[in-house]
Amino acid sequence: MKERHLKALVSGIAAVMLTAGIAMPAQAKQESYSSSKAAYKAVNQKAQKKLVSLKSARKSEGTADSSLRGPADPSYKMDVKYDAKTHKLTGKLNVSFKNNVKQNLSELYFNLWGRAADFKEKGGGMDVSNIRVNGKKAAFDVKETALHITNLSLPKNKKATVTMDFTVSFPEQQDRFGWYGDTVSMGNWFPILSVYDEEGWNVDPYFNAGESFYSLTGNFDVNVTTNRKQVIAATGTEQGKPKMDGELATHHYIAENVRDFAMEMNPTYKILSSKVNGVKVHVYYDDKYAKYAASLLESGKDSIKLFSKKFGKYPWPELDVVTMEGWFGGMEYPQLVMISLNENRKQEWVKSVNAHEIGHQWFYGIIGDNEYDEPWLDESFASFAAALYDNSLDELNVPPLSDPYYHISSKVSDFTARGNAGISAYYYTIYDYGSTALNDLRLELGDAAFYKAMKAYFKEKKFGISTTKDFISAMERSSKQDLSPFFRAHRIFPSDQN
Ligand SMILES: [Zn+2]
């Protein structure tokens, strides 16, 4: 995601931090990487201790496996019907996966993001019923956004299938999940399998100012029935022409190797299309925002070309850029980015937001991460990618916050624990200081070695999940350098995810 006014917000942050008693060092702007090295020595020593102690704690447990993540290879089939008059969706979900987690797996979790408290007051919600596991009726309970299916005994390394009915009420709001005017934004709109990893099941709370999403890549086969006038942008590729039945039309989509499935609909959408590197790029816009369509297509194509060259090839056949009116700048989903517009947006700003969201196709989409535990692994990288597109890498030179509490590799909850000041610090640390750190790494290694290492990282993590530890390790192996002093000096600690 990209917040609304990055530059304005940053200067706003200084004010917020002052009122919150977090002072920005006056001469910090001039502070170089080497002088900050010394300044954070104390912090680093503390982090080192934490790392060592965690390692020994782990050893005694004896079961930790950092590469364990499941359930593996999810394959979703959905048949859904959306009524644009009531803003309600009803659907059937069928998801198959392999239990790679443990013998006699007794429980499963799904995230029901539509149940987040943020949506309730605006008419939003999500409910599930008739849950069956391998055809047998299953016991379950729902607590906030977590669906817990219990009393199972799934054999290890075998496939299992969960089916359920679900209903979704879209809230009236200008957001990634909701409807406003003629547009409906369908982000995080269906029950999605939670991830089991070395920490157990990940059912973190919804995070409105950013993301707490975490899912493994899989395949989707989705039938969407709605009014025939709706123009739909979706993850994946539409299969043939929609089937018409009176006022209704059923659209069929298939997506492969994606970790989510999003849609955006509006009956007045027009589509501007082109192709780059064999990838179809479609811009969905209505008359109100026609003046931005060409900029979005151009920056979309240029971003795919540039990031494919610098990081690794865009792997999907299609990308949809959809215009909407959100409170934010933009939002990323696999093969679909939402760009939030109003009539006052500058063309250059819109292009840069588009580059940020398309950067997420690489950092979130292709190389996944636990967005709640290590949000920097997608946001700092997308911000770096946007600066690369803007040709403004040299402008990435903000200092860290003087309060050593804030780390680039901190969890979302470390920031939200400090209220609004923490949210401001989140944007500053994860977007601005995080992208600065990546640019510092580029300067430290030199362009050739840096982008070579990024490509190695891409190859290693393509369609998988990365951690801070994995990123540091990929950079060190490719560059054949011990980069631990660099990462520590930039407050990037591999132990934070634990
Ligand atoms: Zn973002």
Side-chain angles (χ1 to χ4, degrees):
M1 183 153 74
K2 174 144 178 151
E3 71 277 30
R4 184 167 277 188
H5 293 298
L6 193 61
K7 295 238 163 76
L9 194 88
V10 171
S11 52
I13 281 168
V16 172
M17 285 185 304
L18 284 175
T19 55
I22 307 164
M24 287 269 277
Q27 72 283 52
K29 273 226 180 302
Q30 282 78 46
E31 199 176 22
S32 67
Y33 156 49
S34 52
S35 65
S36 65
K37 233 182 202 171
Y40 301 109
K41 213 173 160 193
V43 179
N44 302 339
Q45 280 167 348
K46 216 168 130 196
Q48 271 299 89
K49 264 186 204 152
K50 190 178 165 195
L51 184 64
V52 172
S53 63
L54 265 164
K55 265 185 189 155
S56 49
R58 279 276 190 73
K59 232 177 197 170
S60 64
E61 280 167 26
T63 51
D65 174 3
S66 62
S67 65
L68 169 71
R69 281 183 198 93
D73 310 322
S75 177
Y76 290 85
K77 285 187 184 129
M78 289 192 274
D79 278 291
V80 303
K81 193 172 173 182
Y82 176 69
D83 182 342
K85 282 198 192 93
T86 58
H87 313 288
K88 283 192 195 323
L89 179 145
T90 53
K92 286 186 183 298
L93 178 146
N94 173 314
V95 56
S96 299
F97 51 83
K98 193 173 102 178
N99 167 23
N100 61 327
V101 168
K102 58 168 97 160
Q103 193 55 260
N104 302 322
L105 179 63
S106 62
E107 57 181 353
L108 289 165
Y109 276 95
F110 284 73
N111 290 304
L112 309 179
W113 296 119
R115 295 179 64 88
D118 307 57
F119 307 141
K120 222 171 260 174
E121 61 199 46
K122 294 158 191 154
M126 187 187 274
D127 277 302
V128 292
S129 60
N130 191 25
I131 299 180
R132 289 170 186 271
V133 179
N134 293 334
K136 270 202 273 182
K137 210 153 187 141
F140 68 92
D141 57 85
V142 178
K143 221 177 258 168
E144 292 168 4
T145 55
L147 162 63
H148 187 198
I149 305 177
T150 55
N151 298 328
L152 305 173
S153 181
L154 302 177
K156 196 172 179 184
N157 294 323
K158 293 272 191 265
K159 252 177 98 169
T161 302
V162 177
T163 58
M164 66 180 83
D165 299 335
F166 68 105
T167 58
V168 183
S169 299
F170 287 85
E172 182 178 7
Q173 61 173 2
Q174 294 166 291
D175 211 325
R176 56 193 171 197
F177 173 74
W179 66 274
Y180 180 74
D182 283 335
T183 307
V184 54
S185 301
M186 299 184 170
N188 318 99
W189 59 276
F190 64 93
I192 191 164
L193 266 171
S194 307
V195 177
Y196 182 94
D197 62 16
E198 58 179 333
E199 298 180 322
W201 288 98
N202 287 268
V203 279
D204 292 308
Y206 184 78
F207 177 43
N208 178 55
E211 286 83 40
S212 47
F213 312 133
Y214 180 21
S215 52
L216 304 185
T217 53
N219 299 331
F220 285 83
D221 184 325
V222 182
N223 284 304
V224 185
T225 302
T226 189
N227 188 286
R228 65 189 296 152
K229 288 186 183 141
Q230 288 284 357
V231 181
I232 307 174
T235 298
T237 302
E238 182 157 12
Q239 309 294 302
K241 293 247 181 295
K243 286 195 186 83
M244 301 298 179
D245 179 12
E247 284 301 297
L248 299 175
T250 299
H251 302 255
H252 182 207
Y253 301 92
I254 286 183
E256 288 175 348
N257 292 316
V258 292
R259 57 187 82 250
D260 206 339
F261 188 98
M263 294 188 281
E264 185 89 21
M265 300 182 195
N266 182 327
T268 69
Y269 268 154
K270 290 174 179 155
I271 307 170
L272 184 67
S273 300
S274 186
K275 225 174 177 181
V276 63
N277 290 9
V279 180
K280 286 182 195 153
V281 183
H282 306 297
V283 176
Y284 289 75
Y285 66 98
D286 54 14
D287 282 338
K288 205 168 156 192
Y289 296 123
K291 66 175 179 182
Y292 296 108
S295 290
L296 288 169
L297 186 65
E298 183 203 321
S299 55
K301 285 166 67 179
D302 289 348
S303 298
I304 289 178
K305 221 155 111 185
L306 179 64
F307 304 156
S308 289
K309 192 174 148 213
K310 295 290 190 185
F311 307 133
K313 195 175 164 243
Y314 183 85
W316 299 295
E318 198 177 313
L319 173 72
D320 294 338
V321 177
V322 304
T323 64
M324 44 88 74
E325 295 172 316
W327 61 267
F328 44 74
M331 179 62 201
E332 70 280 6
Y333 290 99
Q335 296 185 267
L336 185 148
V337 297
M338 300 176 178
I339 306 299
S340 169
L341 295 175
N342 64 49
E343 278 155 29
N344 303 319
R345 294 271 154 96
K346 290 205 168 65
Q347 298 283 354
E348 291 309 307
W349 192 85
V350 167
K351 286 186 194 174
S352 183
V353 170
N354 199 25
H356 175 104
E357 305 312 335
I358 294 174
H360 276 303
Q361 296 299 311
W362 278 260
F363 307 106
Y364 152 71
I366 304 169
I367 305 172
D369 59 305
N370 179 336
E371 295 183 300
Y372 194 75
D373 281 359
E374 301 183 285
W376 86 282
L377 285 172
D378 57 281
E379 291 304 350
S380 304
F381 287 69
S383 299
F384 176 87
L388 177 66
Y389 167 84
D390 290 338
N391 209 8
S392 66
L393 288 177
D394 294 344
E395 288 167 34
L396 298 177
N397 52 14
V398 305
L401 295 178
S402 58
D403 183 343
Y405 170 82
Y406 296 112
H407 302 163
I408 292 179
S409 49
S410 291
K411 289 172 195 263
V412 164
S413 52
D414 292 338
F415 294 100
T416 53
R418 291 195 165 187
N420 285 339
I423 298 290
S424 298
Y426 165 81
Y427 284 130
Y428 184 86
T429 303
I430 300 298
Y431 287 68
D432 300 345
Y433 184 52
S435 54
T436 292
L438 289 171
N439 191 50
D440 286 352
L441 182 60
R442 179 183 70 88
L443 296 172
E444 173 107 352
L445 297 178
D447 270 37
F450 174 76
Y451 290 113
K452 184 177 158 241
M454 290 298 280
K455 278 186 180 155
Y457 175 57
F458 174 95
K459 214 170 146 194
E460 208 173 291
K461 289 293 166 188
K462 186 176 173 183
F463 299 140
I465 295 288
S466 182
T467 62
T468 300
K469 211 183 272 174
D470 293 338
F471 176 66
I472 293 173
S473 160
M475 294 294 114
E476 289 187 331
R477 275 180 285 123
S478 175
S479 67
K480 300 185 174 67
Q481 289 186 41
D482 173 11
L483 295 170
S484 45
F486 173 91
F487 284 107
R488 266 183 257 123
H490 284 82
R491 305 187 188 181
I492 297 170
F493 304 124
S495 60
D496 270 359
Q497 55 136 341
N498 290 302

